[in-house]
Amino acid sequence: DQQVKQNSPSLSVQEGRISILNCDYTNSMFDYFLWYKKYPAEGPTFLISISSIKDKNEDGRFTVFLNKSAKHLSLHIVPSQPGDSAVYFCAASESGGKLIFGQGTELSVKP
Amino acid sequence: DTAVSQTPKYLVTQMGNDKSIKCEQNLGHDTMYWYKQDSKKFLKIMFSYNNKELIINETVPNRFSPKSPDKAHLNLHINSLELGDSAVYFCASSQGRLGGIQPQHFGDGTRLSIL
């Protein structure tokens, strides 16, 4: 039973537009959420995180939004660039414990 | 300088064999992890060590045995390999025991294929 789900396996966006990647979770005890980015043949790299006491965290072109009542978070990339093309993993943890990952969404940003 | 390095990058072997994957980090972190990415692309934690102490041990077959000779190294030994062990195995590290908060740094993965 997957506690973290990314229901869109892929997303295609035009360069310069907004990319919105979604993630849903089922465990209400999760209190920390992270996004990782992964290029082919490389390991995931940390992108941005958010604590459950916040509903938004911004870092440059990347913003993560958390809706606790809906158990939903999203990653916004504005403006999208071709170099953002990668697989994005959502992950969650409870009290700093083990990370539970979603299955990833492959983002393709077209010039 | 590679922060988290794992070897080999590719491993092709026969069912029933025993194999090891090595991982080293030069970030000075005190916690290391092994993850398995299966065919459905989910990354699932297998083990975690903090200062050579096992702190996370998920439900994995006891054919999998991690070994941490020091806090910079975490190796994974697999006995009697089975077809279902085919996957990409990632090593990672972070500072502190709260791996769910501190960003983890991943190696580039070892693609294990069982014939």
Side-chain angles (χ1 to χ4, degrees):
Chain A
D1 181 32
Q2 295 303 328
Q3 299 182 67
V4 178
K5 294 180 183 177
Q6 295 173 255
N7 292 316
S8 298
S10 63
L11 175 68
S12 185
V13 169
Q14 207 68 32
E15 181 179 5
R17 306 294 291 267
I18 185 171
S19 295
I20 300 176
L21 297 111
N22 294 305
C23 178
D24 297 298
Y25 61 96
T26 57
N27 186 346
S28 57
M29 299 301 291
F30 285 148
D31 54 11
Y32 207 80
F33 304 88
L34 305 93
W35 284 92
Y36 282 79
K37 174 180 175 180
K38 183 185 180 304
Y39 292 117
E42 295 184 9
T45 55
F46 169 74
L47 194 56
I48 192 169
S49 61
I50 188 167
S51 161
S52 61
I53 62 173
K54 295 186 174 181
D55 53 21
K56 176 183 174 181
N57 189 26
E58 192 172 348
D59 183 3
R61 296 185 298 114
F62 302 91
T63 303
V64 56
F65 294 92
L66 175 63
N67 182 334
K68 289 188 291 292
S69 60
K71 295 193 182 72
H72 177 85
L73 64 155
S74 60
L75 175 68
H76 292 211
I77 307 173
V78 183
S80 301
Q81 299 172 353
D84 296 330
S85 297
V87 177
Y88 289 79
F89 289 96
C90 166
S93 72
E94 178 185 341
S95 302
K98 66 182 180 185
L99 276 182
I100 308 295
F101 282 86
Q103 70 270 51
T105 296
E106 183 171 8
L107 173 66
S108 176
V109 180
K110 302 197 181 302
Chain B
D1 272 351
T2 304
V4 180
S5 60
Q6 46 183 116
T7 54
K9 197 169 179 68
Y10 299 95
L11 188 50
V12 181
T13 189
Q14 302 275 358
M15 210 163 50
N17 284 350
D18 303 339
K19 290 293 177 187
S20 292
I21 307 172
K22 295 186 175 181
C23 180
E24 176 182 4
Q25 55 94 6
N26 62 6
L27 296 166
H29 289 163
D30 58 5
T31 304
M32 296 185 72
Y33 312 81
W34 276 111
Y35 286 87
K36 178 181 180 181
Q37 186 180 32
D38 59 23
S39 57
K40 294 184 180 176
K41 305 301 182 187
F42 285 98
L43 265 167
K44 293 185 180 177
I45 189 157
M46 301 173 68
F47 303 102
S48 174
Y49 272 75
N50 173 260
N51 280 320
K52 303 196 298 175
E53 176 195 354
L54 182 65
I55 57 172
I56 294 176
N57 185 358
E58 289 297 288
T59 308
V60 300
N62 56 16
R63 298 182 293 104
F64 290 78
S65 52
K67 292 256 183 341
S68 182
D70 54 61
K71 71 176 190 177
H73 295 84
L74 181 61
N75 304 322
L76 183 65
H77 188 77
I78 315 170
N79 288 328
S80 304
L81 280 157
E82 300 178 357
L83 288 175
D85 298 332
S86 294
V88 182
Y89 292 84
F90 287 97
C91 176
S93 71
S94 69
Q95 185 57 35
R97 294 175 69 102
L98 299 180
I101 293 177
Q102 293 297 328
Q104 296 181 19
H105 296 252
F106 284 79
D108 288 340
T110 295
R111 184 172 294 276
L112 174 62
S113 298
I114 310 301
L115 303 177

